[in-house]
Amino acid sequence: GNSVTQMEGPVTLSEEAFLTINCTYTATGYPSLFWYVQYPGEGLQLLLKATKADDKGSNKGFEATYRKETTSFHLEKGSVQVSDSAVYFCALGGGNKLTFGTGTQLKVEL
Amino acid sequence: DVKVTQSSRYLVKRTGEKVFLECVQDMDHENMFWYRQDPGLGLRLIYFSYDVKMKEKGDIPEGYSVSREKKERFSLILESASTNQTSMYLCASSLGTSGSFVDTQYFGPGTRLTVL
């Protein structure tokens, strides 16, 4: 079946540091890939998505590229801010549902 | 903006009680979903619905049931709450274009349920 593996957290960075959160997947067919973000005390919201190989999703300075050859969808940001502190979920859309990773907590300090 | 609301942010119930969690969306979405979120396990799908009165089991339906009598409302029911159902419950909805279940999902703020 489909599965998503993402790096464990928490990840702690200083403000303006470079961020990478790794995500790899296992799937049959041609899934869509998503990054969702959950700020403290809130539900999840879509951060970005990519629907086919080599697509790049981007939003709010975050980027991720759908790499079919490495089955990966790593999340990157060039310069993080304190306001980016949240839990980030990688998700795969295939079959009739979304499959989520376990989430990676990001803490950004001044 | 799509808005998904859940009836309670925090709920405390006793073992054996019947518990209702309500979810309402205001964007005429076809699909609605119930997940539970637990540390280290991410989100796990309990049930979903693609139309009024239609429901499908997700990955962990045991101990839960659902009801969708109106398009905008999707209820999760714990028939007899147990302590292992203490969790964060998240409701979501999606447009359902051409019967797809992999559209962007819009989430409510969650209900933190504690069963004593």
Side-chain angles (χ1 to χ4, degrees):
Chain A
N2 296 339
S3 67
V4 174
T5 303
Q6 60 182 108
M7 60 190 288
E8 289 193 22
V11 173
T12 303
L13 296 174
S14 298
E15 200 169 44
E16 299 183 1
F18 184 86
L19 168 72
T20 300
I21 300 178
N22 290 338
C23 171
T24 57
Y25 67 90
T26 302
T28 55
Y30 303 95
S32 297
L33 297 171
F34 303 80
W35 277 102
Y36 281 82
V37 58
Q38 184 178 35
Y39 298 103
E42 298 182 13
L44 279 69
Q45 55 186 273
L46 179 69
L47 181 59
L48 53 84
K49 68 178 183 181
T51 57
K52 60 183 187 297
D54 299 324
D55 269 2
K56 177 185 282 187
S58 61
N59 185 27
K60 299 181 182 179
F62 291 89
E63 294 183 341
T65 301
Y66 187 159
R67 302 280 188 205
K68 191 169 173 61
E69 64 275 13
T70 54
T71 61
S72 65
F73 193 55
H74 304 321
L75 182 68
E76 296 182 335
K77 186 175 186 182
S79 176
V80 294
Q81 306 299 313
V82 172
S83 57
D84 293 325
S85 297
V87 181
Y88 293 81
F89 291 89
C90 186
L92 179 154
N96 61 357
K97 63 178 186 177
L98 292 185
T99 300
F100 288 84
T102 54
T104 301
Q105 184 176 15
L106 170 66
K107 298 180 181 178
V108 181
E109 300 172 337
L110 291 172
Chain B
D1 275 355
V2 175
K3 191 162 186 183
V4 180
T5 56
Q6 296 184 228
S7 51
S8 305
R9 293 298 300 268
Y10 300 93
L11 209 52
V12 179
K13 295 293 182 181
R14 297 207 174 274
T15 301
E17 280 192 81
K18 190 169 186 176
V19 181
F20 293 87
L21 301 182
E22 304 285 340
C23 175
V24 178
Q25 51 95 3
D26 67 355
M27 282 301 292
D28 203 35
H29 282 177
E30 301 293 328
N31 300 332
M32 297 188 74
F33 307 82
W34 275 106
Y35 296 90
R36 63 178 284 176
Q37 181 181 10
D38 300 289
L41 298 176
L43 274 70
R44 293 179 292 168
L45 181 64
I46 304 172
Y47 268 96
F48 65 99
S49 169
Y50 53 91
D51 200 353
V52 175
K53 296 190 186 296
M54 305 304 289
K55 61 185 179 184
E56 292 283 345
K57 292 180 180 178
D59 298 318
I60 51 163
E62 295 79 19
Y64 303 94
S65 62
V66 291
S67 173
R68 193 167 180 200
E69 296 295 321
K70 294 185 178 180
K71 190 175 185 180
E72 68 271 19
R73 187 179 298 269
F74 193 36
S75 302
L76 180 69
I77 303 155
L78 287 64
E79 293 290 342
S80 178
S82 63
T83 55
N84 63 13
Q85 293 178 310
T86 292
S87 186
M88 171 70 85
Y89 289 87
L90 294 170
C91 175
S93 71
S94 69
L95 186 59
T97 309
S98 301
S100 169
F101 292 97
V102 297
D103 298 334
T104 298
Q105 292 189 12
Y106 298 84
F107 285 81
T111 295
R112 185 165 293 283
L113 172 67
T114 301
V115 182
L116 301 176

